[in-house]
Amino acid sequence: MPNQLDLKRAQLNTETAQIAWTELQVFFAKGALVHVSSHLDLVDVAAHIACDDLVAVQEWMTAGTVLKLDDETAADWQKRNPLLWAVVVAPWILVQERAH
């Protein structure tokens, strides 16, 4: 029987999509973007956040793999306008650039 985390993963998997950086800039300006390292599974991170798994989220934040999007990354994305993967876990939008 699936647990709450598994159910949330399944739901968020259907809500994840690719989006251009230019469409996310306004959310960066509002401070609503959370950058997820390409070494992590975006949907898994989103599910843990949605389920209030503070231990996992704190570990990722301490490791620097899940953080509010910084100015340096935003400037890089501004130059390149990459397609990013994104999923909403209100009030946040989690974004990830897949490894090249």
Side-chain angles (χ1 to χ4, degrees):
M1 177 170 227
N3 62 28
Q4 180 185 8
L5 191 59
D6 292 334
L7 293 172
K8 188 52 78 171
R9 269 192 205 104
Q11 175 197 347
L12 291 168
N13 192 49
T14 66
E15 298 172 0
T16 303
Q18 282 191 307
I19 188 168
W21 166 248
T22 54
E23 297 179 57
L24 292 169
Q25 290 175 352
V26 67
F27 300 102
F28 172 68
K30 293 179 182 180
L33 294 184
V34 174
H35 184 208
V36 177
S37 168
S38 63
H39 302 296
L40 297 175
D41 183 292
L42 179 66
V43 173
D44 188 53
V45 172
H48 281 274
I49 291 172
C51 290
D52 294 323
D53 183 351
L54 300 179
V55 173
V57 174
Q58 186 60 49
E59 286 177 11
W60 291 321
M61 290 175 70
T62 299
T65 55
V66 175
L67 297 169
K68 283 186 80 170
L69 186 66
D70 61 61
D71 292 341
E72 183 178 321
T73 302
D76 175 52
W77 289 352
Q78 177 68 31
K79 289 178 192 170
R80 297 185 297 114
N81 192 27
L83 275 179
L84 304 166
W85 284 96
V87 62
V88 175
V89 180
W92 309 108
I93 300 173
L94 281 63
V95 294
Q96 181 180 61
E97 182 176 21
R98 299 288 165 94
H100 309 295

